[in-house]
Amino acid sequence: MLSGSHENKGNELDSQSPPTIHQSDKTPNKFVQFWRRVYRPLGFHKGYNFPLWFIFGGALFGFTLAKLSYLNIGGNASSSFANSASPGEWFWYRNGIYRIGITIHLATILPAGILIPWQFLPIIRHRVLMLHRINGYTIVILVILSNIGAVMIVRRAFGGTLATQAAVGVLAIMSTVSIALAYYNIKRLQIEQHRAWMLRAMFYLATIVTLRLIMIIAALIISQSSNYYTTMECGSVRSIYDAEPQKIQSLYPQCTQPGSANDTLVIVQATFGNGQPEQIGASLRVNFGMAMWMALLLHAVGVEIYLGLTPRESNRLRQVSYERQMERGMKHPGSAGLTSDRFGDADPWKPLK
């Protein structure tokens, strides 16, 4: 994904030749022939790679496109972030450090979500390597800034519970560390490790898409029992019923008492379907931490399964790494980056003869 300008020759990694494909004497059927005409012009050489790219990259791209209106953060449009956020959330993001944090986060992660799928399109890597590099560096900068913004607002994100703060913090650490390791490995021309760590980073970041699905499903499920409650700040409640103060008096009289502060807590029932706005917000708050941990687990396991199922591509790229490292006169060619045979107990890697 990334490489420095001094690596022009050494990092023509995938543009040299496609991976070896075992040929068969059997003539492919019409469906296979049609399918190859679809994915091969895009640079894919294996039939399963294109649907995976289309499904996962398309999901991230579509999700980001649907949320681009959030760049109008505090606008009056119905699609702005202020009017689309979970009920009560905007109260905390209106000003101060949280306004700065949400602005940084949305202004960086949304453009990154648009750029990420194209980074994994082989034809760009093969034909326009410089664009691949520029796009990669841009994504890295945007993601790091977005993580900073996310950490700034996490105390107020969907109630800011400890479960939520921990999940956001772990996601920020996992994605940042993965990007750092990918960057180091490409500088050391350890291409297969660069591929692995960039795939991990992007899968972790795409957690947000799965998170939203789990949140909605969980909110619908808990609404059926009517036994789930959470707390909400009076400031959030007042912002919801700003034009209807009489509702605050009847529903949450604690928030109208003298001395009631914005941080004063009231109990709100979590009801997603036919609930009041604050009840819908409560149904999302109460499951956000759980949903994020579950989505992160699914994505972390999923990317490891994919990497485990594609050892041939990893071995091919390691051979390319060996050749490039030999050309540069690096120590430990084939293992100049962060590889398990240098830092673990794996058998020493041997190049193909």
Side-chain angles (χ1 to χ4, degrees), residues 11-32:
N11 239 357
E12 301 277 339
L13 43 124
D14 297 272
S15 59
Q16 296 291 323
S17 60
T20 302
I21 301 175
H22 291 280
Q23 300 294 331
S24 173
D25 294 334
K26 183 179 179 181
T27 303
N29 59 44
K30 292 184 178 180
F31 174 78
V32 173

Side-chain angles (χ1 to χ4, degrees), residues 301-330:
V301 172
V303 70
E304 296 305 324
I305 290 175
Y306 176 77
L307 291 172
L309 291 175
T310 54
R312 188 176 296 167
E313 178 66 5
S314 180
N315 291 334
R316 182 187 75 85
L317 290 176
R318 190 158 190 180
Q319 182 67 27
V320 175
S321 300
Y322 167 78
E323 295 168 359
R324 302 296 179 252
Q325 291 163 0
M326 284 287 290
E327 291 176 1
R328 297 297 177 84
M330 291 182 172

Side-chain angles (χ1 to χ4, degrees), residues 32-339:
V32 173
Q33 294 179 20
F34 168 79
W35 192 238
R36 288 176 178 175
R37 286 196 295 268
V38 172
Y39 66 76
R40 284 189 172 175
L42 297 175
F44 294 100
H45 295 283
K46 294 183 175 67
Y48 63 83
N49 278 336
F50 173 70
L52 289 175
W53 175 82
F54 184 81
I55 292 170
F56 292 106
L60 178 61
F61 188 76
F63 177 84
T64 306
L65 282 180
K67 301 298 181 182
L68 276 182
S69 60
Y70 282 12
L71 291 174
N72 180 14
I73 297 174
N76 295 322
S78 60
S79 60
S80 69
F81 176 78
N83 291 318
S84 301
S86 178
E89 293 284 293
W90 178 243
F91 173 78
W92 301 103
Y93 297 145
R94 293 183 302 180
N95 46 50
I97 190 68
Y98 299 119
R99 177 60 182 268
I100 297 172
I102 193 64
T103 301
I104 293 174
H105 180 63
L106 293 176
T108 51
I109 197 59
L110 290 173
I114 294 293
L115 297 176
I116 285 172
W118 308 109
Q119 195 65 9
F120 294 92
L121 190 62
I123 193 171
I124 295 178
R125 192 166 62 249
H126 297 166
R127 302 287 182 84
V128 197
L129 187 58
M130 183 56 65
L131 177 60
H132 176 75
R133 293 171 177 167
I134 294 172
N135 193 46
Y137 280 116
T138 302
I139 290 171
V140 166
I141 294 171
L142 291 173
V143 167
I144 292 174
L145 289 175
S146 75
N147 283 344
I148 293 173
V151 171
M152 291 172 67
I153 65 173
V154 68
R155 177 61 186 88
R156 297 298 182 184
F158 293 94
T161 64
L162 289 178
T164 295
Q165 294 184 54
V168 172
V170 168
L171 176 57
I173 291 171
M174 290 175 66
S175 57
T176 302
V177 170
S178 296
I179 286 174
L181 292 175
Y183 179 83
Y184 175 81
N185 276 292
I186 199 60
K187 287 299 182 182
R188 299 293 298 169
L189 297 179
Q190 200 68 48
I191 301 162
E192 87 287 350
Q193 290 298 317
H194 170 72
R195 164 185 176 261
W197 285 109
M198 283 315 305
L199 279 170
R200 289 185 178 109
M202 299 309 132
F203 263 73
Y204 300 156
L205 290 170
T207 293
I208 189 64
V209 181
T210 307
L211 161 68
R212 298 290 177 170
L213 295 175
I214 297 174
M215 282 180 67
I216 294 173
I217 294 171
L220 290 170
I221 292 174
I222 65 175
S223 298
Q224 300 301 313
S225 68
S226 301
N227 291 326
Y228 286 86
Y229 296 82
T230 189
T231 57
M232 186 172 287
E233 306 85 355
C234 281
S236 297
V237 173
R238 293 192 193 104
S239 69
I240 294 172
Y241 293 112
D242 187 47
E244 301 175 282
Q246 69 279 4
K247 280 195 173 184
I248 302 177
Q249 177 63 45
S250 62
L251 296 173
Y252 308 101
Q254 305 96 314
C255 294
T256 63
Q257 300 298 319
S260 174
N262 287 331
D263 276 323
T264 299
L265 297 175
V266 293
I267 298 175
V268 181
Q269 185 180 27
T271 304
F272 186 78
N274 299 315
Q276 299 289 337
E278 75 280 6
Q279 294 176 328
I280 295 174
S283 70
L284 297 175
R285 280 189 178 202
V286 77
N287 73 68
F288 181 84
M290 173 279 298
M292 191 159 193
W293 281 113
M294 183 176 290
L296 185 56
L297 175 64
L298 290 173
H299 281 243
V301 172
V303 70
E304 296 305 324
I305 290 175
Y306 176 77
L307 291 172
L309 291 175
T310 54
R312 188 176 296 167
E313 178 66 5
S314 180
N315 291 334
R316 182 187 75 85
L317 290 176
R318 190 158 190 180
Q319 182 67 27
V320 175
S321 300
Y322 167 78
E323 295 168 359
R324 302 296 179 252
Q325 291 163 0
M326 284 287 290
E327 291 176 1
R328 297 297 177 84
M330 291 182 172
K331 295 181 179 179
H332 312 292
S335 303
L338 300 176
T339 57

